[in-house]
Every structure is written in structure tokens, then in C-alpha cells.
Amino acid sequence: LQSTNWQTLRWKPPPPHKGALSSSDEGHIGWRVEFRSMEVQITDFENAAFSSFIVLLSRTILASKLNLYMPMSKVEQNMQTAQCREACTKEVFWFRTNISTDKGADAM
């Protein structure tokens, strides 16, 4: 299992020798999510800006303990819908309506 079917994220398992350690061990590496950037940015500045944005976004998600889970069936529907012409202006996409962790998990 090396990655999911998302085109902008990659789900990475821990290395075999580090994933087997106890989660309290200092050398433990858990499952990781890798944000995959756009294929081509025009300038080095855009690359740096995108990298900085992703770092800030990931830290905000972790610090706020946001619940961004979505059923894979909804993600698949969004991916199919996104491939249509003018999808962003003429189609409907699934999004979570409640991303706080202290309320119900079924808010879609």
C-alpha cells in the first residue's frame, strides 16, 4: 500500500523498522500524509509560496484539531464531477459543513 487514489495527496506508511516501534518511542514514525504540489509552477517564488502555504495549512489543521474526514465515495464523486467541463461553476461538490471535532461527525 503506497498511496491512495487522491491526485494531490499521498498517504505514506511508516518505514518497516521505524513503524514497528512503540508510539512513545522517540524514533517512532507513524503514517504520514504528503501534499503533492501542482506539476509545474512558473517561478521559484511560486514554489516557495506554495510550500509555505502548505506548512501553515497543515499546522493550522493540527493545532485546531479539525475534522476534515469525508467518505471515499463522496471524494470519488467529487473527482468524477471535477473532470467535467466548467465543473467549478456549473456542478455541485460535496464539502463538510461541520469541521470542528467537538460536534457530530455526520455533518455533510
Side-chain angles (χ1 to χ4, degrees):
L1 176 70
Q2 190 61 331
S3 64
T4 66
N5 59 348
W6 294 355
Q7 297 173 4
T8 55
L9 295 174
R10 184 175 180 200
W11 192 36
K12 297 174 72 174
H17 61 284
K18 297 217 176 195
L21 299 173
S22 170
S23 61
S24 61
D25 192 333
E26 192 172 304
H28 175 73
I29 296 177
W31 288 81
R32 297 156 294 167
V33 175
E34 176 184 273
F35 288 95
R36 307 205 73 183
S37 65
M38 303 162 280
E39 292 296 321
V40 176
Q41 289 84 25
I42 297 173
T43 65
D44 288 342
F45 175 79
E46 288 175 343
N47 284 330
F50 182 78
S51 298
S52 299
F53 172 74
I54 291 299
V55 167
L56 292 173
L57 177 65
S58 63
R59 288 183 182 175
T60 301
I61 291 169
L62 292 173
S64 302
K65 298 182 181 176
L66 300 178
N67 180 5
L68 301 173
Y69 292 120
M70 236 171 103
M72 283 303 294
S73 61
K74 302 293 186 206
V75 173
E76 289 293 330
Q77 286 180 3
N78 282 348
M79 293 298 284
Q80 291 295 322
T81 303
Q83 294 176 7
C84 298
R85 183 178 294 260
E86 299 180 15
C88 62
T89 57
K90 296 189 177 182
E91 301 293 337
V92 177
F93 293 90
W94 291 98
F95 290 96
R96 286 195 62 89
T97 56
N98 179 12
I99 59 173
S100 65
T101 55
D102 60 349
K103 297 184 180 175
D106 295 331
M108 275 240 228

